[in-house]
Amino acid sequence: MNRQGLAVQLGPLQLKNPVMVASGTFGYGQEYVDMVRPDLLGALVVKGISLEPRPGNPPPRIWETYGGMLNAIGLQNVGARVFVEEKLPWLKTFAVPVIVNIFGNTLEEYRSLAAMLDGCPGIAALEINISCPNVKAGGMVFGTDPHMVSQVVAMVRSATALPIITKLTPNVTDITVTARAAEQAGSDALSLINTISGMAVNVETRRPRLANVVGGLSGPAIKPIALRLVWQVVQAVSIPVIGLGGISSTEDALEFLIAGARAIQVGTANFVNPRITLEIIEGLQTYLQRHGFSHINEVIGSLQLSESSTD
C-alpha cells in the first residue's frame, strides 16, 4: 500500500497517515490483528483504561438503531496494571503510536493514572476521556463543565510529559467553550466527538432497550453533527483537532479533513467492516492522485466558503 504524502504532524506526534481507530471500537489491537496489522494505521487508541479494573454496566448494553448504535458498556476494562503487564508488551512490537485513553472517577484518579503510565515505554500519548455518557461518576459529568475540564487537563498535565489529547463531549451548549478550556489547561490536541446521549424503547414490553436506560449514540447518524462541531472547534483553538463521529468511508474522512481536522478516528464502522481503516488510507492516497495533490496537508482545512456562507 503506497502511503506517500499522507504523513501528518499532530502536535508532538508524527503519524504516517491521518487514520486512527477510536477508543472502545478496536479493543487492545489483538482482537483485530488477523484483519488489520496495527502498524498500517496512523495511530491506535486503545480501549479506555482506569486505575482499577471495571466490570462495566449490566446487559443489555448495545442496541442497533437507524444509522447507528446505542451503547452503554460503561467503560469495562482490564485496569491499568493488567494493561501495562499483558497488553502493552504486545503493542510495543508494532511500529505504531499507541495512544491510551484514560478515565477516572476523581481528579486524583486521573492524576495517579497519568503518572503511572508516564513511565511506561511504548505509550505515545494519553487521550483524556471526559466525555463518556455511560458512567455515573467522572466521564461526561467532567466534560460538560468548562471549569472541571480545565481542572482535569491541568491535573493530567502536571503528572506526565506525554502528549495529551482531550476527548470532548457533544452534549454541551457550546463545545468551543470546553475546547478552549482544554487548550488553555495544557492539552496538546483535541478529539471530538464522543457519542450523543440517546435511548430506545421496546414497545411490546414497554421497557428500555438498554439496562442503563440511556446510552451513547454513534455511527453514521451522528456524522453531520460531528462534522459541524469539528469545524467550529477548529476555528476556536490553535491546537490540532482529531475528528470522529460516524466516519465509515473515505469520503466521510475527507469531509472532516477538509473541514480542518488534522487526523480522523474510525469507531463504529470497525464493527461493520473491520478493514475499513485500511480502505480509507488507500482511498485518501487515490484522492490525492486524482486531484493532483502532493500531500494531504493541501487537503486539510481547504474548505471553500462563499462570501455569503455563515456558521
Side-chain angles (χ1 to χ4, degrees):
M1 185 183 298
N2 181 5
R3 303 187 205 97
Q4 190 174 4
L6 289 184
V8 294
Q9 192 72 33
L10 194 68
L13 294 176
Q14 175 75 32
L15 309 184
K16 59 173 71 79
N17 64 67
V19 180
M20 313 159 71
V21 288
S23 176
T25 66
F26 207 73
Y28 304 103
Q30 293 167 307
E31 297 84 346
Y32 282 78
V33 71
D34 291 339
M35 295 168 284
V36 180
R37 217 174 70 204
D39 55 0
L40 295 177
L41 300 169
L44 193 159
V45 188
V46 299
K47 184 169 176 54
I49 297 293
S50 51
L51 206 52
E52 302 295 334
R54 291 175 58 94
N57 292 327
R61 307 194 293 189
I62 292 177
W63 181 254
E64 187 173 353
T65 70
Y66 303 120
M69 182 180 77
L70 277 171
N71 93 83
I73 303 298
L75 292 171
Q76 175 186 355
N77 74 92
V78 298
R81 186 170 302 282
V82 171
F83 171 74
V84 170
E85 293 178 354
E86 299 182 9
K87 307 295 184 183
L88 192 56
W90 181 83
L91 287 165
K92 284 164 54 180
T93 64
F94 295 94
V96 61
V98 174
I99 299 172
V100 181
N101 182 286
I102 63 171
F103 164 79
N105 291 330
T106 65
L107 289 172
E108 180 56 30
E109 283 188 20
Y110 277 102
R111 189 203 66 76
S112 298
L113 188 51
M116 175 184 174
L117 297 176
D118 182 59
C120 298
I123 298 176
L126 303 179
E127 182 180 65
I128 307 173
N129 186 346
I130 50 170
S131 50
C132 179
N134 302 323
V135 290
K136 290 182 172 58
M140 197 174 73
V141 175
F142 287 165
T144 54
D145 180 344
H147 179 64
M148 288 303 300
V149 171
S150 180
Q151 283 193 299
V152 173
V153 174
M155 185 68 79
V156 173
R157 180 74 289 163
S158 70
T160 181
L162 288 168
I164 55 176
I165 302 163
T166 306
K167 188 168 185 176
L168 302 178
T169 174
N171 298 299
V172 292
T173 303
D174 184 353
I175 198 170
T176 64
V177 174
T178 48
R180 289 194 188 98
E183 179 183 33
Q184 290 166 7
S187 190
D188 296 291
L190 303 172
S191 57
L192 60 134
I193 59 173
N194 207 319
T195 56
I196 297 174
S197 294
M199 67 180 289
V201 174
N202 183 329
V203 298
E204 299 302 323
T205 64
R206 301 190 299 281
R207 292 180 178 275
R209 293 288 188 182
L210 300 176
N212 197 53
V213 183
V214 299
L217 177 65
S218 61
I222 72 169
K223 198 203 79 180
I225 300 169
L227 186 61
R228 186 262 297 181
L229 293 173
V230 164
W231 181 59
Q232 289 179 326
V233 168
V234 164
Q235 296 174 88
V237 300
S238 300
I239 54 179
V241 171
I242 304 165
L244 69 152
I247 295 174
S248 55
S249 68
T250 300
E251 183 170 340
D252 291 341
L254 281 164
E255 286 189 72
F256 280 83
L257 295 172
I258 291 169
R262 293 205 61 79
I264 60 98
Q265 294 181 3
V266 177
T268 303
N270 288 311
F271 301 129
V272 179
N273 175 5
R275 292 179 59 81
I276 186 60
T277 46
L278 304 185
E279 293 176 12
I280 291 174
I281 294 168
E282 190 166 6
L284 293 178
Q285 186 75 73
T286 301
Y287 181 84
L288 294 187
Q289 294 166 353
R290 184 158 56 87
H291 286 267
F293 294 125
S294 61
H295 199 279
I296 196 69
N297 284 338
E298 297 172 61
V299 176
I300 293 172
S302 64
L303 184 67
Q304 303 295 305
L305 297 175
S306 65
E307 291 183 0
S308 60
S309 296
T310 67
D311 62 354

